[in-house]
Amino acid sequence: QVQLVESGGGSVQAGGSLRLSCAASGYTYSSYCMGWFRQTPGKEREGVASIDSDGSTSYAYSVKGRFTISQDNAKNTLYLQMNSLKPEDTAMYYCAADRTICWYGAFFGYWGQGTQVTVSS
């Protein structure tokens, strides 16, 4: 079955950087759309970025120019490079996978357990 395991979260000061990873298994990685989402308590889950099997990407306006989504098909791993972090980026970050029309607002059926990112001012 599809398994997604995130890592790389942590605490950082505003202006700093983090790189999240998501190790995927149980399916043909390169054939799926992959996405990153985030959620804070009391708020709805928010799409952050997506990447399709052909490498095309989409980003939420709030992170465009600061975050970069990428993937290594040979390692079945998804990444999210986060630069110029702001306190409002604080959230639990989740990776997701599915065969879907690939954009950051799409419906994804498979989810990881999440990794916490905390940005202090």
Side-chain angles (χ1 to χ4, degrees), residues 9-10 15 26 37-38 43 50 65 71 77 80 94 96 105 108 115 117 120:
F37 291 75
R38 65 187 182 186
K43 291 188 176 181
S50 69
Q71 60 190 353
T77 302
L80 185 68
Y94 301 88
F108 286 79
T115 186
V117 171
S120 58

Side-chain angles (χ1 to χ4, degrees), residues 1 13 30 34 39 46 48 50 57 59 66 72-73 89 91 94 97-100 102 107 109:
Q1 70 275 21
Q13 288 193 324
S30 60
M34 301 296 295
Q39 190 170 22
E46 173 190 20
V48 173
S50 69
T57 59
Y59 295 92
R66 300 187 299 122
D72 185 334
N73 289 341
D89 294 318
Y94 301 88
D98 213 328
R99 294 180 181 267
T100 183
C102 199
F107 172 80

Side-chain angles (χ1 to χ4, degrees), residues 7-18:
S7 61
S11 297
V12 64
Q13 288 193 324
S17 297
L18 283 173

Side-chain angles (χ1 to χ4, degrees), residues 35-100:
W36 285 102
F37 291 75
R38 65 187 182 186
Q39 190 170 22
T40 55
K43 291 188 176 181
E44 289 191 0
R45 191 166 52 201
E46 173 190 20
V48 173
S50 69
I51 185 165
D52 208 345
S53 56
D54 64 358
S56 57
T57 59
S58 70
Y59 295 92
Y61 179 80
S62 58
V63 306
K64 205 165 188 177
R66 300 187 299 122
F67 291 10
T68 302
I69 189 171
S70 63
Q71 60 190 353
D72 185 334
N73 289 341
K75 295 182 178 180
N76 289 359
T77 302
L78 177 72
Y79 303 100
L80 185 68
Q81 178 67 43
M82 305 186 294
N83 298 330
S84 303
L85 282 161
K86 304 175 182 180
E88 51 263 44
D89 294 318
T90 296
M92 185 72 78
Y93 282 72
Y94 301 88
C95 73
D98 213 328
R99 294 180 181 267
T100 183

Side-chain angles (χ1 to χ4, degrees), residues 2-5 22-27 29 34 75-78 95 97:
V2 175
Q3 289 192 325
L4 303 170
V5 180
C22 173
S25 62
Y27 67 103
Y29 176 84
M34 301 296 295
K75 295 182 178 180
N76 289 359
T77 302
L78 177 72
C95 73

